Amino acid sequence: MTIEHDDVNKKKHVSILNDDIASRINSEKEHIIRPNTKKNFGKMQMAFTLLMGAVVLFGIIYSLISQLH
């Protein structure tokens, strides 16, 4: 009787653990940026990086030209 009772308790613990793992995985999935939205974010970040690079390059060239005069 006790062996069968222990097996039932072990199965309950395993199923509770599996349910806990599944709920944690689902909650983590909600906080991760999905790949389809990540692509749009990557394009926006690339455009912003190129724009800032152009501004910095213009600033360097302008300061060098202003020192020539």
Side-chain angles (χ1 to χ4, degrees), residues 49-63:
T49 304
L50 290 175
L51 179 66
M52 289 296 112
V55 168
V56 169
L57 187 61
F58 177 75
I60 292 171
I61 292 172
Y62 181 78
S63 66

Side-chain angles (χ1 to χ4, degrees):
M1 231 15 198
T2 59
I3 294 173
E4 291 177 7
H5 186 65
D6 288 341
D7 286 341
V8 170
N9 282 339
K10 286 181 183 178
K11 287 180 182 178
K12 285 181 183 178
H13 289 301
V14 169
S15 66
I16 290 171
L17 183 62
N18 287 339
D19 292 340
D20 185 44
I21 292 171
S23 66
R24 286 185 185 195
I25 289 173
N26 290 334
S27 67
E28 289 294 326
K29 284 181 181 178
E30 292 175 0
H31 297 292
I32 295 174
I33 298 175
R34 303 297 345 142
N36 56 358
T37 59
K38 192 174 183 181
K39 287 180 184 176
N40 293 336
F41 181 71
K43 290 178 184 177
M44 190 170 57
Q45 186 177 6
M46 180 62 77
F48 181 75
T49 304
L50 290 175
L51 179 66
M52 289 296 112
V55 168
V56 169
L57 187 61
F58 177 75
I60 292 171
I61 292 172
Y62 181 78
S63 66
L64 291 175
I65 291 175
S66 67
Q67 288 180 0
L68 290 176
H69 290 110

